[in-house]
Amino acid sequence: MTIRVLLVDDQPLLRTGFRFILEAEADVTVVGEAGDGATAMEQSRALLPDVVLMDVRMPGTDGIEATRRIVREAAPTAHVPKVLVLTTFDLDEYIVEALRAGASGFLLKDVPPDDLVQAIRVVAAGDAIVAPSVTRRLLDRFAARLPSAHQQATPARLDRLTERELEVLRLIAKGMSNAEIAATLVVSETTVKTHVGNVLTKLGLRDRVQAVVLAYETGLIVPGAFS
């Protein structure tokens, strides 16, 4: 299956670079480009991409609002594009908003070519990108503005989970893969997949990215948790 990608960035040179990288892959094709959020929404409706590579800061409609509208407008249909948000460390404060808006993950603009291609394949397959090293820096900074775990009771929403499911949620929030969680808990990957599925279903979450955000927002994971 060929993965159809829409490139969205207000810098033409960056779009050209990403196009060059992606079109070297047999299973990826760039179906369009946009230099702002409004054009991105129009292109998404017209071209029906599988993945939208979305910049955050652009003139007019920014990448966060464009992501929100693209996902919301496509939700009633059978085809909902996956959005990968592009960012730099000086835009940390935008990342959580992008994930809330429906993005399936985020990448740094200096992402290595192989990682970029792999990320697109992963989200096109229906999974989410939570790069552990980047996630920890971004969400620790975000979480510093939230109440810590001892300042509030465990939210009623998390009471739906078993102790093991809470443990799995903590490990997801630390950026662990299913294999790493399985090794930590000394269980099979199949068992972990079942727990992850239960966590997402019980909490009404779309994917692992939303699970990470929720873990921070509820104080289940607090600043310094990765030290």
Side-chain angles (χ1 to χ4, degrees):
M1 182 185 70
T2 300
I3 302 170
R4 297 164 52 83
V5 178
L6 173 62
L7 300 178
V8 184
D9 196 292
D10 63 343
Q11 299 182 47
L13 187 59
L14 273 178
R15 297 201 305 269
T16 299
F18 286 135
R19 178 184 282 274
F20 179 79
I21 292 168
L22 297 179
E23 292 196 331
E25 303 297 322
D27 61 336
V28 180
T29 184
V30 176
V31 297
E33 298 183 17
D36 58 74
T39 304
M41 291 184 288
E42 294 173 1
Q43 293 278 61
S44 182
R45 286 191 291 266
L47 301 174
L48 300 179
D50 299 306
V51 177
V52 179
L53 201 59
M54 179 77 75
D55 188 18
V56 173
R57 184 173 289 178
M58 296 180 291
T61 303
D62 65 21
I64 294 173
E65 182 60 25
T67 295
R68 183 179 293 110
R69 294 186 189 179
I70 286 172
V71 173
R72 184 177 60 204
E73 290 179 8
T77 71
H79 185 88
V80 180
K82 305 296 182 181
V83 181
L84 268 177
V85 173
L86 293 166
T87 186
T88 53
F89 277 129
D90 62 324
L91 296 179
D92 289 357
E93 66 271 22
Y94 292 98
I95 299 306
V96 173
E97 291 305 314
L99 299 179
R100 285 175 176 158
S104 293
F106 57 87
L107 300 172
L108 299 181
K109 283 193 173 182
D110 61 354
V111 60
D114 289 347
D115 291 351
L116 171 64
V117 174
Q118 181 59 23
I120 287 172
R121 288 175 179 146
V122 167
V123 298
D127 208 340
I129 290 295
V130 183
S133 61
V134 178
T135 302
R136 293 170 188 179
R137 292 181 64 177
L138 296 175
L139 293 185
D140 269 343
R141 176 170 172 176
F142 167 77
R145 303 195 296 271
L146 297 172
S148 61
H150 70 271
Q151 292 175 301
Q152 57 181 11
T154 300
R157 189 176 183 184
L158 296 186
D159 287 344
R160 306 171 192 173
L161 304 182
T162 65
E163 285 300 318
R164 178 47 62 94
E165 289 165 353
L166 272 173
E167 193 171 11
V168 168
L169 177 56
R170 289 189 185 96
L171 298 178
I172 291 173
K174 291 183 178 181
M176 288 190 179
S177 66
N178 284 352
E180 290 168 333
I181 294 174
T184 299
L185 300 181
V186 195
V187 297
S188 70
E189 279 194 60
T190 300
T191 298
V192 172
K193 289 179 181 178
T194 298
H195 287 317
V196 172
N198 289 341
V199 168
L200 299 182
T201 298
K202 288 182 178 181
L203 298 179
L205 303 174
R206 185 185 65 250
D207 52 41
R208 296 169 78 101
V209 175
Q210 289 192 338
V212 172
V213 175
L214 179 67
Y216 273 82
E217 290 180 324
T218 59
L220 188 66
I221 293 293
V222 297
F226 301 113
S227 57

